Amino acid sequence: MALVSRGSHHLKPGVANSFDQQAGNLASLVRSYYQRGWVPATSSNFSVRSEDNEDWIVISQSGKDKEYIASHDFMLVDLEGQCIQPKGAKPSAETLLHTSLYKNTEIGAVLHTHSLDSIMAAEVLRENGVISMQGLELLKAFSGIETHESTIDIPVFQNIQDMKELSERVLHSFSKSGWPVGYVIEGHGIYTWGKSLAEAKRHLEALEYLFNFHLRRKNHGGH
Ligand SMILES: [Zn+2]
């Protein structure tokens, strides 16, 4: 039985339990990303769709140190990025980049890091606005890809500080070319997602590995 009716902004008993558990799972994942150097200096943000209401998002609050992030560093927002709880919590400036993706009802989790390899890949591997990667077994980490002979294209967008404008550019591009498994913002970092947190995690790890491989190959004189 749903504890909270769709669209309601009234929290009822039981909501906090799902919130704490979802935020806790996300927090422990994010702490591991700190150890990998992907989320330095309070950067980056992470979210999952609430199990209590499909129009709510559990997302990291602004400015939290990812080395120590815990469930109380998350908050609930609606699909417009407005705070639901806790009262007065400050959403990240990039909340709109998350919430706009969740309007695609297939998406259950969005992960964003400032990893150096994603930024470097956009600098040195981009051709015609995308980073193309192919030839590795790990491409099979992406749903629907069944052979290493596949290619994935990760679009690159210019970094701008107007998040509404940036989210509109991103969604407009996807509406024309189809949804990729992620995208990179120049000089900034990567966004990726999945139906579940487990799928989004798999996508992020695979993309980081693929960026790293293609960058190393380029360093060694490959293409
Ligand atoms: Zn960012």
Side-chain angles (χ1 to χ4, degrees), residues 43-45 92 94 97 112-114 163 185 188-191:
S43 70
S44 312
N45 31 69
S92 152
E94 290 179 49
L97 297 183
H112 166 56
T113 80
H114 285 208
M163 294 305 146
I185 308 174
H188 180 161
I190 181 162
Y191 272 84

Side-chain angles (χ1 to χ4, degrees), residues 134 136 208-218:
Q134 60 281 313
L136 287 185
E208 287 292 339
Y209 178 99
L210 292 164
F211 291 148
N212 190 266
F213 167 74
H214 284 80
L215 287 167
R216 285 197 204 190
R217 187 167 68 176
K218 185 133 185 151

Side-chain angles (χ1 to χ4, degrees), residues 54-103:
E54 64 189 17
D55 292 336
W56 291 353
I57 310 300
V58 178
I59 190 165
S60 46
Q61 295 181 32
S62 179
K64 300 297 181 182
D65 186 332
K66 305 306 184 292
E67 184 172 9
Y68 309 109
I69 195 165
S71 57
H72 58 76
D73 293 318
F74 286 78
M75 64 187 295
L76 266 182
V77 296
D78 64 20
L79 288 179
E80 308 309 318
Q82 299 299 310
C83 174
I84 292 170
Q85 78 157 33
K87 287 271 176 294
K90 188 166 174 245
S92 152
E94 290 179 49
T95 295
L96 266 186
L97 297 183
H98 287 248
T99 55
S100 58
L101 292 170
Y102 284 102
K103 288 176 184 169

